[in-house]
Amino acid sequence: MMNLLAAQTMIPNDFELAIPGNIGFFKVLLVVSFILHIFFVNLTVAGSVLAVFNEWRGWIKNNPRWDRLAEKLAVQVSIHKSLAVVLGVAPLLIISVIYTRFYYPSTILIGKAWLMLIAIIIVAFLMLYVYKFTWERWQNKKGLHLFFGLGGALLLLYVPLVFLTSVASMLQPELWKEGLSIFTAFFHYPTIWERYLHFLFATMAIMGIYLIVLGNRQKRENPEDGELFVSFGKNVALLFTFLQLAAGPILLFSLKGDVMQLFLGGSALQTGLLVVGIILALLLIFSLYQYKRSDSRIWLRSALVLIVLVVSTMGWLRHEVRDSYLAPYENQAVHDEQVTEQALEK
Amino acid sequence: MQFPIIEFPWLGSGTVIAIIAVTHVLVNHAVAIGGSLLMVGLEYRGWKMNRPDLDQVARKMSKWILIITTTVGALTGVGIWFSTMVIQPNAIGSLLRVFFWAWFTEWIVFVAEVILILTYFFTWDKWTGKKKLRHIRTGMALSFASWLTMTIITAVLAAQLTPGQWIETRSFWDAVANPTWLPSLFFRTFVAIALAVAVFSPFIRWFVKNEETRATILSDFGKWMMVSIPFMLAFGMWYVSNLPEKALELIVWASGLQGKEMVFRLLHFFAILIMFFLGFRLITNPKRVSLVLSAFVAFLSIGLIGEFEMIRETIRKPYVIYDYMYVNGIRVDEVEKFNKEGFLPNSKWMAVDEVNEDNVVEAGREIFKGQCLACHTVDGWRSKRALGERIEGMTAEGLDNYIKNLHTARYFMPPFAGTDEERRALALYLEKAVNSPEQLDGMAGESK
C-alpha cells in the first residue's frame, strides 16, 4: 500500500481527452500487432547474427557453402528489417494511447538513450546494407566485410535492451527514478535481463525454423547447400527451443511475487495460459526432434503450426504479465483525484 | 507538468525535435514522394520509347530510394514519435487521442508502402517483357502510397495550427477536415516534386555518363519542375490565406528577418526565380546545364523546405495545438486553475511541491523546467532563446514584472501559469542562473 501511495505522486493524471475506442479491442490489437512486429524483429536480429557467424565459419573453414548461406541471410535481413520497423509502429501507437500514464514516464526517464536508438538503428541498417551490397566486391576483403556485418549485428543486439527497459520499468512506477544512465537503468529495474535472455533464445529458435524452410526451398536449386542449411536449422531450432525450458522459468521467477503467484495457480486465466504455453513448447520440441530424426514433412508442418501457437500464446501471456502488474495502479486510478487532494492538504 | 522532463541544456528541446522532423520531411518529400514519382516516370518513358538506358537509370534510382527511405526515412519517421513522446508528451499524447484512427490508417498505408518498394526493387529482373507494365504499376502504387501517408499526416500537422471547428465539437472529422489541411497537402505535393527535381538533378548530371540519356532525363525533370512551381505558389497562397491572423503576423519574424519585410520578400522571390531558371535550362539545354547551378538549386531548395518547416512550427507559438494547448504542455483552460492553486502543487515530478522560504530558488528552477524549457535554454546555442543573453543584468523584480505580462508583451509566449509566489520564485531563479550561476552549484537537480 505504501508503494502505491508513493507511486501516485509520480504517475501522471490521465489526459482530459478520452481514449478513442474500446480498451479491450485496443488490447487485442496490441497483442496481435506486437506478435507480427516481434516475429520480424526475430528474423532481423538472428538473421544478421547468423549471417556473420556463417560467413566467418565459411571463411576460416574455407567452405563456400556457409558463405552462400550467409549471403542469403543478409539479403533476407534487408527485407525483414524494414518490415520489423514498420510493423512496430502499430504497437507503439497503441501502447502509447492506452498506457500513456505508465509508458510515457518510463520512456522519458531513459529518454536520451531512447532517442539515441534512432541514430543507432540507422547506422546498423546502413552497415547491413553495405554488408549486403559488397558481398561480391569484397570477396577478398573478408575482414572488412565482416566488420560491417558484425557492427550491424551488435548494434541490433543492443536495441532490444532499451525497449525492454521502457516496457519493464513502466510496470513498476514505485521504482521510477530520475537521472539514471541507461546502463544503470538496465540493472535498476527488475526482469530486464531475464526478458532479454528469453527474447534471444526465442529469436534463435524462430530463426532455426526459418532456416529449415529456407533450406528446403534451396534444395530445388542446389540440393547439397539446401541439405546443409536444413540440418543447421534443425540444430539451431532444437537447441534454442530446448534452452527456453530454462530461460522461461528464469523469467517467471524474476517477476514480482504476487504477480508470479497468479501464474502459479493464483489465477485460472494466467496459470492456464502458462500451462498451455509450456505444453505447446514441449510439443514443439518433440516435433523438431522427430523431424530431425526422420526428416518427414509431417513433423515439419507440425513444428510450423506449433511455433505460431507458442509465439501467440507467449505474446498473450506477456500482455497478461503487464496487466497483472498494472492492475493495482489502474484500480487506484479512480482515487487519483482524492490522493492529489490529500497531498495538497498536507 | 505531469511527466518527467528531459533537459538538453545546449541544443534545447525544440531543436532536437526539429532536427529529426526536418530530416524526415526532406527525405520523405524529396525521395519517397517526389523521387519515386520521377523514378516511375522515367521507367514509363523508357518503356514507351523503348529506351533501356532510361530503364537502367530508373533502376539505379530505385536502389538509392530503397536504401534511403528504409533507413534514414523510416527511422526519422519513427523518430518524430520517439522525440515528441519524450519531449512533448502532453502534446503528442493528446494528438494521439484525437487522431488515433488516422494514424492507425496511416500505419496500414506504411506497411503497404514498404511491401511495394520491396516488391518493386526485387522484381526488376523478373517482371520484364509482358510483365513490365505490372512493374510500372507497382511503382505507381508505391508513389501513390507515399503520397497517401502525407495526406494523413498533413491533417494532423494542419490541425495543430488550425484546429477549426474541433475546438468546440471535439469531433474527429472536424479535426481532420480543418481549414489548412487541403491547401497544405497540395502545396506539399508540388513542393515534393520540385524538391525531388532539384535534389536528383545534380546526381543525374554527375553520374549519368551517356549524354543522350542524361539529356532526355533532365529535360523531363525540367518539365516536372516548370509545372510544379506555379501550382506550388498557388496552393501556398491558399494555405497562407487560411492561417490564423496572429500566425500570419509572425511569418517574417519567424524567418529571422524581423523588420526587414522587403528583404524577406525579395529573397524568396529570387529563390523561386532561380528554381524556375533551372527548370527552364533543363528543358531548353539539358546537355549543357551547369552542375554548379543544379547543385546550388539543390541546396537552395533543401534550405527552403527546412525554412518552411521552421516557420510553420514557429508561427504556431505560443500553442502546440492552437487555442487548446501551449507549447509547454499547459492547456489553455488550466491557466486559471494554476493561477489560483499554484503550478507546483498541480504537478508531478517536480522536486518541490510548493514555494516556501527555504526553497525559493529551487522552486523557481522547477517552474522554469515546467513552463519555459520547452522553448528556452539558459545558455544554449541559439542565442535568441538562451535567456542568459536576453536578460543579463535584469533584476529579479524587473523579471517578475516581465513575466507577469509574458503573453501580452510577446504574443508568441504563453502566459505564466501560477501564483504570485511562484512567479517571484521563477524570477529569482532566473536572475541567479544568469547573473551568478555559481551560487546554484550543488542545488538539487542542477548537475544532472
Side-chain angles (χ1 to χ4, degrees):
Chain A
M1 214 46 222
M2 248 352 268
N3 277 349
L4 272 185
L5 277 177
Q8 289 306 327
T9 64
M10 295 197 278
I11 301 173
N13 298 337
D14 203 7
F15 295 127
E16 156 213 58
L17 300 167
I19 293 172
N22 177 291
I23 304 265
F25 178 63
F26 274 124
K27 288 183 175 172
V28 174
L29 220 50
L30 175 60
V31 172
V32 173
S33 63
F34 180 76
I35 291 171
L36 281 175
H37 163 64
I38 206 69
F39 177 69
F40 285 99
V41 168
N42 287 328
L43 293 184
T44 306
V45 174
S48 58
V49 171
L50 286 185
V52 173
F53 172 70
N54 282 306
E55 186 187 14
W56 172 76
R57 179 157 66 160
W59 185 33
I60 56 165
K61 293 203 171 155
N62 215 346
N63 181 349
R65 287 195 204 290
W66 292 127
D67 194 78
R68 283 200 287 275
L69 173 58
E71 186 177 1
K72 272 236 138 54
L73 289 175
V75 175
Q76 304 276 336
V77 164
S78 77
I79 298 172
H80 296 148
K81 63 124 183 40
S82 294
L83 289 166
V85 167
V86 75
L87 288 172
V89 172
L92 180 67
L93 282 178
I94 302 168
I95 198 174
S96 299
V97 82
I98 59 177
Y99 297 107
T100 321
R101 303 162 63 229
F102 305 97
Y103 190 59
Y104 276 12
S106 77
T107 309
I108 295 170
L109 289 174
I110 54 161
K112 289 191 180 172
W114 177 254
L115 288 177
M116 277 308 289
L117 285 185
I118 303 163
I120 289 173
I121 300 174
I122 290 177
V123 173
F125 284 4
L126 287 174
M127 289 183 91
L128 290 171
Y129 268 125
V130 172
Y131 186 62
K132 170 187 152 184
F133 282 120
T134 56
W135 209 281
E136 311 277 280
R137 226 175 305 155
W138 288 356
Q139 270 302 332
N140 296 320
K141 298 185 203 155
K142 275 293 179 201
L144 179 67
H145 190 245
L146 273 169
F147 167 78
F148 277 90
L150 188 64
L154 288 178
L155 290 175
L156 288 188
L157 281 173
Y158 164 79
V159 173
L161 276 174
V162 180
F163 279 103
L164 285 175
T165 306
S166 72
V167 295
S169 67
M170 75 179 267
L171 305 180
Q172 292 183 279
E174 71 278 4
L175 299 179
W176 283 347
K177 206 166 159 200
E178 272 183 294
L180 294 180
S181 81
I182 187 68
F183 296 103
T184 330
F186 289 160
F187 296 95
H188 175 76
Y189 301 106
T191 77
I192 294 173
W193 292 99
E194 291 85 351
R195 284 168 185 259
Y196 188 59
L197 189 71
H198 202 39
F199 160 80
L200 283 184
F201 288 177
T203 285
M204 297 301 280
I206 288 172
M207 192 64 209
I209 295 179
Y210 185 82
L211 276 173
I212 297 174
V213 176
L214 195 76
N216 276 321
R217 290 174 107 213
Q218 184 69 13
K219 278 185 192 163
R220 279 181 239 149
E221 283 169 38
N222 183 335
E224 284 170 38
D225 274 13
E227 200 50 59
L228 193 72
F229 299 176
V230 171
S231 77
F232 177 56
K234 281 176 185 168
N235 290 336
V236 171
L238 199 54
L239 172 67
F240 285 97
T241 314
F242 188 73
L243 286 177
Q244 286 295 49
L245 294 184
I250 291 178
L251 176 54
L252 178 65
F253 293 120
S254 74
L255 298 180
K256 202 165 77 175
D258 46 349
V259 174
M260 185 179 30
Q261 282 315 318
L262 296 177
F263 288 86
L264 294 176
S267 141
L269 171 69
Q270 274 93 329
T271 309
L273 262 179
L274 181 62
V275 170
V276 170
I278 293 172
I279 293 175
L280 289 169
L282 290 171
L283 287 175
L284 174 61
I285 292 175
F286 182 71
S287 299
L288 284 170
Y289 179 69
Q290 288 299 333
Y291 178 58
K292 186 173 152 75
R293 274 192 11 181
S294 68
D295 213 27
S296 131
R297 281 288 163 127
I298 199 100
W299 290 114
L300 174 58
R301 228 166 276 155
S302 118
L304 284 175
V305 172
L306 282 165
I307 186 82
V308 172
L309 292 178
V310 171
V311 170
S312 308
T313 315
M314 292 299 167
W316 182 6
L317 198 80
R318 190 180 162 284
H319 174 75
E320 291 302 329
V321 171
R322 173 168 48 220
D323 275 5
S324 312
Y325 266 96
L326 291 182
Y329 304 105
E330 297 274 21
N331 295 339
Q332 196 73 52
V334 271
H335 303 302
D336 245 22
E337 289 294 273
Q338 295 146 353
V339 174
T340 320
E341 247 138 56
Q342 277 167 15
L344 273 178
E345 276 155 27
K346 99 175 178 268
Chain B
M1 190 56 179
Q2 295 288 318
F3 296 94
I5 293 167
I6 318 191
E7 296 176 60
F8 298 91
W10 185 72
L11 267 179
S13 313
T15 312
V16 175
I17 298 183
I19 291 172
I20 300 171
V22 170
T23 311
H24 182 70
V25 168
L26 189 66
V27 171
N28 178 271
H29 286 29
V31 184
I33 298 171
S36 68
L37 188 65
L38 297 182
M39 171 188 73
V40 270
L42 208 56
E43 186 190 12
Y44 180 75
R45 286 270 280 168
W47 181 60
K48 275 274 151 181
M49 295 164 52
N50 203 4
R51 290 267 305 267
D53 56 327
L54 299 185
D55 197 70
Q56 275 309 312
V57 177
R59 184 173 183 164
K60 262 260 157 61
M61 276 178 82
S62 77
K63 178 175 168 183
W64 287 102
I65 291 177
L66 171 78
I67 292 180
I68 295 171
T69 54
T70 56
T71 56
V72 181
L75 270 302
T76 48
V78 177
I80 296 178
W81 280 105
F82 272 43
S83 58
T84 46
M85 70 182 265
V86 296
I87 294 172
Q88 297 200 322
N90 287 296
I92 192 70
S94 301
L95 286 170
L96 194 50
R97 297 277 165 106
V98 180
F99 285 104
F100 179 84
W101 291 107
W103 262 310
F104 194 78
T105 313
E106 187 174 20
W107 171 67
I108 295 170
V109 185
F110 275 149
V111 176
E113 199 183 345
V114 169
I115 293 174
L116 284 166
I117 189 156
L118 290 170
T119 313
Y120 184 76
F121 180 75
F122 283 100
T123 51
W124 277 103
D125 290 324
K126 241 183 266 164
W127 291 352
T128 52
K130 280 216 179 88
K131 286 194 183 156
K132 187 63 175 170
L133 192 58
R134 187 194 288 179
H135 193 257
I136 294 175
R137 285 198 179 130
T138 310
M140 288 175 174
L142 166 65
S143 217
F144 180 71
S146 311
W147 182 78
L148 210 56
T149 62
M150 179 168 80
T151 308
I152 299 170
I153 193 65
T154 303
V156 180
L157 285 176
Q160 281 184 269
L161 187 54
T162 53
Q165 297 295 312
W166 176 82
I167 291 290
E168 272 125 47
T169 62
R170 295 287 163 90
S171 122
F172 170 75
W173 291 108
D174 280 334
V176 171
N178 68 79
T180 55
W181 175 40
L182 289 180
S184 65
L185 171 64
F186 292 125
F187 172 66
R188 281 174 185 279
T189 306
F190 291 101
V191 166
I193 301 174
L195 191 64
V197 170
V199 170
F200 279 95
S201 292
F203 289 99
I204 300 285
R205 174 75 180 69
W206 187 256
F207 289 108
V208 178
K209 297 285 182 261
N210 182 313
E211 211 169 64
E212 271 319 304
T213 312
R214 204 166 67 208
T216 317
I217 298 173
L218 289 182
S219 78
D220 272 9
F221 279 16
K223 285 172 203 148
W224 282 113
M225 179 81 120
M226 295 295 258
V227 172
S228 302
I229 293 178
F231 281 110
M232 184 176 96
L233 292 176
F235 285 117
M237 280 192 275
W238 183 21
Y239 176 57
V240 169
S241 73
N242 279 359
L243 291 178
E245 204 177 317
K246 290 281 191 191
L248 204 56
E249 288 168 12
L250 290 178
I251 291 183
V252 176
W253 167 77
S255 74
L257 291 169
Q258 196 175 3
K260 302 181 195 131
E261 186 148 349
M262 216 42 221
V263 180
F264 177 83
R265 281 169 195 268
L266 279 175
L267 276 179
H268 288 85
F269 177 74
F270 279 115
I272 301 290
L273 205 64
I274 293 174
M275 290 178 75
F276 217 77
F277 179 64
L278 175 71
F280 178 73
R281 289 289 294 167
L282 287 172
I283 296 177
T284 55
N285 203 345
K287 283 191 184 151
R288 221 143 283 133
V289 89
S290 119
L291 183 62
V292 177
L293 173 67
S294 66
F296 178 73
V297 173
F299 284 111
L300 179 74
S301 40
I302 290 173
L304 282 176
I305 186 86
E307 187 207 17
F308 169 71
E309 295 301 331
M310 295 307 284
I311 290 184
R312 184 185 53 70
E313 280 287 313
T314 308
I315 61 177
R316 198 179 55 218
K317 289 190 163 52
Y319 300 104
V320 65
I321 303 169
Y322 225 85
D323 292 332
Y324 177 74
M325 184 185 281
Y326 295 112
V327 174
N328 54 18
I330 295 176
R331 285 202 317 272
V332 174
D333 65 5
E334 281 175 327
V335 174
E336 216 169 300
K337 174 172 169 193
F338 292 173
N339 285 344
K340 220 183 289 150
E341 298 172 6
F343 173 70
L344 291 174
N346 275 297
S347 295
K348 290 181 172 161
W349 291 100
M350 296 274 140
V352 296
D353 299 340
E354 56 177 358
V355 189
N356 59 38
E357 267 160 41
D358 310 322
N359 71 4
V360 184
V361 179
E362 194 181 359
R365 187 193 135 73
E366 295 298 302
I367 296 166
F368 175 74
K369 269 169 54 181
Q371 298 202 16
C372 319
L373 203 65
C375 304
H376 289 290
T377 58
V378 175
D379 51 6
W381 71 282
R382 244 180 123 179
S383 53
K384 286 199 166 165
R385 299 291 180 83
L387 283 180
E389 287 188 28
R390 301 300 298 246
I391 59 177
E392 207 176 340
M394 275 176 87
T395 60
E397 218 164 304
L399 277 165
D400 186 33
N401 268 325
Y402 185 86
I403 298 169
K404 213 182 279 179
N405 302 312
L406 216 50
H407 183 60
T408 36
R410 303 287 229 153
Y411 174 75
F412 45 75
M413 273 196 265
F416 174 78
T419 60
D420 292 348
E421 279 153 33
E422 288 178 329
R423 200 184 57 239
R424 274 192 289 274
L426 172 61
L428 203 67
Y429 162 74
L430 282 176
E431 189 220 20
K432 282 228 169 13
V434 168
N435 299 324
S436 45
E438 66 287 348
Q439 290 184 16
L440 298 182
D441 284 353
M443 196 172 79
E446 186 60 28
S447 56
K448 265 183 248 153

